[in-house]
Amino acid sequence: MISSTLTKALNEQIGHELSAHNHYLAIAVYFAHRSLDGWADFFYRQAEEERTHAMKILHFLLDNDVAPHVPEAKEARPAFADAVEAVASAVKAERTVTTQFEAMMAIAHQENDYRAVPLLQWFLNEQIEEEATMGKLLDLVQSGINLFQAQDYLPTPHAEGEAGAEAGA
């Protein structure tokens, strides 16, 4: 059984993931509005990944006979001063998410809630990749490269399903 403390945190995380979805949509719109379609597509994929993360948590709760709820997601606006600010906001967001999952892992260990550990470890592994990717993108935009040319250097999406299969999701 999932502890009430961890259940509360996981339900809150569903809202955080949906808010991250909105945040990445806003970044995608920022780039799309500037005809940077490669950048926009990258962030549209990131947005979809965040929605998938919310669903992964929701299904975990359901599979453990816990009634999930769907918190309200924060509105996000594509109001960035420049590409550096847009991508820097993604770096900051990913670091925040890492902290959230680390806190949930600490709760799981403190409360001997071992059912949640594989899920939380999967997310922590995912966060290592996400922070590295966003950090590299920030380096790219800060380099001063032409953003149209930089589209050739954007990472390709990783196979979410493969990582999920490894975690037993």
Side-chain angles (χ1 to χ4, degrees), residues 52-108:
T52 301
H53 291 169
M55 295 300 294
K56 187 176 187 86
I57 297 167
L58 185 136
H59 286 292
F60 173 81
L61 291 171
L62 287 169
D63 289 346
N64 283 280
D65 201 28
V66 175
H69 63 83
V70 181
E72 189 172 335
K74 292 180 185 175
E75 180 182 6
R77 296 175 189 235
F80 303 100
D82 55 26
V84 171
E85 183 181 338
V87 176
S89 75
V91 171
K92 181 180 178 187
E94 291 299 343
R95 289 179 180 155
T96 298
V97 170
T98 299
T99 302
Q100 291 163 343
F101 279 105
E102 288 170 341
M104 284 184 280
M105 183 66 90
I107 292 168

Side-chain angles (χ1 to χ4, degrees), residues 5 21 24 28 30 33 47 58 68 107 118 127 130 134 139 142:
T5 306
H21 171 266
Y24 280 128
Y30 168 85
H33 190 253
L58 185 136
I107 292 168
Q127 285 309 117
E130 293 299 324
M134 292 306 158
D139 290 343
Q142 286 177 329

Side-chain angles (χ1 to χ4, degrees), residues 5-127:
T5 306
L6 190 54
T7 295
K8 181 177 186 251
L10 287 166
N11 273 309
E12 288 173 359
Q13 192 63 36
I14 292 170
H16 296 316
E17 297 296 327
L18 294 173
S19 294
H21 171 266
N22 288 352
H23 180 221
Y24 280 128
L25 278 179
I27 295 172
V29 167
Y30 168 85
F31 284 114
H33 190 253
R34 287 154 182 78
S35 299
L36 291 160
D37 296 337
W39 286 92
D41 288 345
F42 175 83
F43 283 103
Y44 285 135
R45 287 190 308 268
Q46 288 299 121
E48 185 57 29
E49 187 174 301
E50 300 304 328
R51 189 198 68 79
T52 301
H53 291 169
M55 295 300 294
K56 187 176 187 86
I57 297 167
L58 185 136
H59 286 292
F60 173 81
L61 291 171
L62 287 169
D63 289 346
N64 283 280
D65 201 28
V66 175
H69 63 83
V70 181
E72 189 172 335
K74 292 180 185 175
E75 180 182 6
R77 296 175 189 235
F80 303 100
D82 55 26
V84 171
E85 183 181 338
V87 176
S89 75
V91 171
K92 181 180 178 187
E94 291 299 343
R95 289 179 180 155
T96 298
V97 170
T98 299
T99 302
Q100 291 163 343
F101 279 105
E102 288 170 341
M104 284 184 280
M105 183 66 90
I107 292 168
H109 285 294
Q110 180 181 13
E111 299 193 7
N112 298 322
D113 204 333
Y114 300 113
R115 284 179 176 235
V117 169
L119 175 81
L120 298 172
Q121 188 61 60
W122 183 89
F123 274 106
L124 287 170
N125 292 343
E126 177 77 4
Q127 285 309 117

Side-chain angles (χ1 to χ4, degrees), residues 138-164:
L138 184 57
D139 290 343
L140 185 61
V141 296
Q142 286 177 329
S143 74
I145 190 171
N146 178 293
L147 292 178
F148 288 99
Q149 293 171 330
Q151 293 177 119
D152 293 336
Y153 300 104
L154 294 175
T156 57
H158 69 281
E160 179 91 22
E162 292 174 18

